[in-house]
Amino acid sequence: MEIKKPFYKTGLIGWPIHYSLSSYIHTYWLKKYKIKGSYTLYPVAPEKLSSEIQNFIAQDFLGFNVTMPYKESIIKYLNDLTPEAKYLQTVNVVMKDPQKGLIGDNTDGYGFVKYLEQKIPDWRKKIKSVLIFGAGGAAKAIIGTLIKEDIKSIIIVARNKERTQKYFSERYNILSVFAWEENLSFPSDISLIVNATNLGMNGFQDFNLDYKMFNSDAIFYDLVYNPLQTNFLKKAKNQGYQIIDGLGMLMYQAAPAFEKWYGIYPSIDDKLQKFITQKAIT
C-alpha cells in the first residue's frame, strides 16, 4: 500500500496583495526540492484579519508570510515571537507549531542586508549614515537590523512624526525623525537612501525628492519591485547614483522563511533570479 506524502500549505496575507511575486518564488522552490505543497496569496481585508487567522489555525497550514499593513498588527494574534521578532517588534513570517501555536519571526532585515551585501560587498565600510522613508513594519525591521550592524546615524521620514519619535526613542538613541510635510533638507553625507513605503508602487502616489542634495557616491535602495524600476530609482540613476531595486530583498527574505517551514534553505540561483526578474517587468 502506497503511503501518501503530506501536502504542505503556506501563503501570504496582506491588503492589497495582487502585486506580490512571492508565490512564484516559493512555488519554484517547492518544485525544485520536490516538496508537495502550495503557496497561495490571501488578500485579507482589515475587518477579516482575525477570522482569517482562525481559518489558518484550523486548516493544515505550515505557516504564512505577512505583508503590509499587518506586519505589526499580526503580533496580537500570535502565541509567541522569536528573539528577532521580539527585538524588531514586526513580523513577516509565521510558523505553526503543534504545541506552541503560531510563532512570529522576521526575515526582512536579513533579506535587506543580504541583498545589499550582494550588490555592495564592502557596504559596511561605505555606509555610515542612512535616510529611510517610512516607519511601518518593513522600515522597523531594516532600522533595527542596521543598528545591529553598527550604523551610527539614521534619519527617518514618517507620516506621523510624534508617534514615530515616541516609538523609536524608547528603543534607540541614534535616530532623527522628520515629517513628510516639513521642508526636507538632509546632510549631504548620507550614504544610503531607502524607500520603505508604497510610494512609487503601481497604483500608488509617486515619490518626490530633491536628488541633488546628496553626495555623488550615495546609494538609493527601493523596497518596491512593482514596477521593478520605480521613478525613485530612475531619477537617482539619471543623477548618476548607484541604485538597488526591491527584488533581491524579496528573494532573500523568502529563503529563510522557506527554511523555517520545510527545513531546507533554498538556493537563489541564476534561473530563479532571471525568472522572477522577468515576472517583475511583464
Side-chain angles (χ1 to χ4, degrees):
M1 180 178 176
E2 183 183 355
I3 299 175
K4 289 186 177 181
K5 292 183 178 180
F7 187 86
Y8 300 105
K9 290 192 288 188
T10 53
L12 172 69
I13 64 171
W15 187 264
I17 208 171
H18 61 277
Y19 63 88
S20 176
L21 299 177
S22 291
S23 61
Y24 293 110
I25 296 171
H26 286 277
T27 301
Y28 175 91
W29 286 330
L30 287 169
K31 290 179 179 177
K32 178 175 181 177
Y33 296 103
K34 297 180 173 58
I35 298 171
K36 289 190 68 176
S38 64
Y39 186 99
T40 307
L41 303 185
Y42 296 94
V44 177
E47 66 273 14
K48 295 184 178 180
L49 180 59
S50 178
S51 61
E52 283 299 309
I53 291 172
Q54 293 305 312
N55 287 337
F56 288 138
I57 294 172
Q59 295 181 47
D60 189 21
F61 273 79
L62 277 182
F64 53 92
N65 282 128
V66 184
T67 190
M68 61 181 185
Y70 302 132
K71 292 188 178 187
E72 296 166 272
S73 59
I74 192 75
I75 291 175
K76 65 183 178 183
Y77 299 105
L78 305 179
N79 301 104
D80 200 3
L81 299 176
T82 65
E84 183 72 1
K86 285 178 182 176
Y87 166 67
L88 298 173
Q89 281 299 296
T90 173
V91 165
N92 78 315
V93 57
V94 175
M95 298 82 72
K96 185 179 175 183
D97 184 277
Q99 282 75 44
K100 297 180 180 179
L102 298 181
I103 302 171
D105 198 2
N106 193 291
T107 63
D108 276 336
Y110 169 87
F112 177 88
V113 168
K114 194 74 175 174
Y115 192 48
L116 180 61
E117 197 169 63
Q118 179 181 318
K119 303 294 285 186
I120 309 168
D122 61 344
W123 74 270
R124 290 174 179 84
K125 294 180 180 179
K126 290 185 174 181
I127 296 174
K128 303 300 180 185
S129 56
V130 177
L131 168 63
I132 184 163
F133 291 91
K140 287 182 172 69
I142 291 165
I143 290 164
T145 303
L146 288 174
I147 287 173
K148 285 202 297 186
E149 291 283 352
D150 207 29
I151 297 297
K152 299 297 186 185
S153 174
I154 299 176
I155 297 173
I156 306 169
V157 180
R159 289 187 176 91
N160 191 317
K161 179 178 179 179
E162 184 176 327
R163 184 175 64 192
T164 302
Q165 279 182 323
K166 183 178 185 302
Y167 177 88
F168 283 106
S169 64
E170 294 172 353
R171 291 162 174 79
Y172 318 116
N173 60 2
I174 61 169
L175 300 171
S176 301
V177 181
F178 291 83
W180 282 97
E181 63 270 15
E182 292 182 33
N183 185 16
L184 300 176
S185 180
F186 306 109
S188 61
D189 63 348
I190 288 174
S191 313
L192 178 66
I193 300 95
V194 181
N195 175 32
T197 74
N198 55 20
L199 291 178
M201 185 184 293
N202 284 335
F204 289 84
Q205 185 179 345
D206 208 354
F207 214 100
N208 186 26
L209 181 66
D210 179 9
Y211 294 80
K212 294 181 180 179
M213 72 174 81
F214 304 106
N215 280 339
S216 59
D217 58 353
I219 301 158
F220 285 73
Y221 195 147
D222 199 337
L223 272 57
V224 172
Y225 56 83
N226 184 6
L228 187 58
Q229 289 292 303
T230 61
N231 283 332
F232 175 79
L233 294 182
K234 285 179 181 177
K235 291 176 182 178
K237 187 175 181 179
N238 288 340
Q239 294 288 335
Y241 296 113
Q242 185 170 353
I243 63 170
I244 302 174
D245 62 59
L247 207 53
M249 176 180 166
L250 177 70
M251 289 186 282
Y252 278 110
Q253 63 80 28
F258 189 91
E259 181 184 33
K260 292 174 191 302
W261 295 326
Y262 302 107
I264 299 170
Y265 189 93
S267 64
I268 300 174
D269 51 39
D270 290 342
K271 185 178 178 181
L272 174 62
Q273 294 190 57
K274 290 176 181 177
F275 172 63
I276 297 302
T277 300
Q278 187 61 37
K279 290 293 182 183
I281 60 178
T282 56

